[in-house]
Amino acid sequence: HLLLRHYEGFMKKGRVRWIEGTAGFPWVRLASAPDPRADRFYFAKSFAYPLAAAPFVWLFGTGGFLVLHAVLLSLSLLAAYRFLRARSEATPALANAAIFFVASAAPVYFVWITPEVFNLSMGVLGLFCGLYRLVSPDPPPDAGRWGRFLRGAGGPLLGAAIIGVVAFSKPTNAALAVPIAAGALLRRDWRTAIGASVVFVLSCGGLVGLNLAISGEA
């Protein structure tokens, strides 16, 4: 009991759930009961950030969290620069991107073992993939396979999948999926808009379902 009180908010007891029939609509319901193992506790937060950090911690110990943060912020800075560079010169694009990530609260969270840097970076990378074709619709001759991928339907689909992960990490981030679908609608690309919406639901819903299957709690 002392351990549970100390880690309240981070650890919780699980539940056992099953589907059973009912007499009326919808004729099935999700039943539940307390976990029969009284000595077993579950991680009560989203496992998206710990799962992303696990390989880095395995390689570098607890310093792996800082390595992960460095990788994420570097990718976010590059994505922001590439997004701005599509409509401006290199110097102002780099300056604006650097100010956003350096002259802000982001460096403070760099040394915290919390999901803030993960959520920020995944949101930036998801929006970059989902919206890049709006600011750079015509690929240059040397764009390469990745550049052509981002300017096609693959960019919004990948972006929606990434936003699904960050929405699982923090539910309010689900709002970031709206610009991706809206961006496709602006191009009258109904198929991509619907596809991105479905991918987002599958990405976020699949992780929620996995958590439900493991711990018995959504």
Side-chain angles (χ1 to χ4, degrees), residues 49 53 56 63-76 106-119 121:
Y49 173 62
F56 295 89
F65 287 102
L66 300 183
V67 177
L68 172 64
H69 292 175
V71 171
L72 289 174
L73 285 178
S74 298
L75 290 174
S76 298
V108 177
Y109 289 105
F110 180 86
V111 295
W112 286 19
I113 305 178
T114 58
E116 274 70 21
V117 169
F118 175 80
N119 291 341
S121 299

Side-chain angles (χ1 to χ4, degrees), residues 6-63:
H6 181 70
Y7 289 104
E8 185 176 1
F10 293 94
M11 305 294 290
K12 66 181 179 184
K13 291 186 176 182
R15 298 190 69 82
V16 178
R17 295 184 182 271
W18 66 91
I19 297 175
E20 62 182 23
T22 62
F25 182 83
W27 299 291
V28 293
R29 73 182 183 93
L30 190 63
S32 68
D35 191 334
R37 286 278 300 274
D39 62 336
R40 183 162 52 188
F41 296 95
Y42 295 88
F43 187 56
K45 301 291 185 180
S46 165
F47 58 77
Y49 173 62
L51 185 62
F56 295 89
V57 174
W58 180 66
L59 289 172
F60 304 105
T62 54

Side-chain angles (χ1 to χ4, degrees), residues 29-176:
R29 73 182 183 93
L30 190 63
S32 68
D35 191 334
R37 286 278 300 274
D39 62 336
R40 183 162 52 188
F41 296 95
Y42 295 88
F43 187 56
K45 301 291 185 180
S46 165
F47 58 77
Y49 173 62
L51 185 62
F56 295 89
V57 174
W58 180 66
L59 289 172
F60 304 105
T62 54
F65 287 102
L66 300 183
V67 177
L68 172 64
H69 292 175
V71 171
L72 289 174
L73 285 178
S74 298
L75 290 174
S76 298
L77 181 61
L78 176 62
Y81 169 75
R82 293 297 302 175
F83 192 88
L84 295 169
R85 182 68 180 88
R87 294 294 180 90
S88 65
E89 297 297 324
T91 300
L94 181 59
N96 279 281
I99 288 172
F100 184 82
F101 288 103
V102 178
S104 66
V108 177
Y109 289 105
F110 180 86
V111 295
W112 286 19
I113 305 178
T114 58
E116 274 70 21
V117 169
F118 175 80
N119 291 341
L120 167 68
S121 299
M122 294 294 283
V124 169
L125 294 173
L127 290 176
F128 169 74
C129 293
L131 301 176
Y132 184 68
R133 67 178 187 164
L134 295 183
V135 296
S136 182
D138 300 319
D142 60 344
R145 186 175 300 175
W146 176 243
R148 291 191 294 270
F149 174 82
L150 288 176
R151 292 174 177 87
L157 296 181
L158 176 59
I162 295 174
I163 297 301
V165 175
V166 78
F168 171 65
S169 181
K170 188 174 182 179
T172 53
N173 289 324
L176 298 177

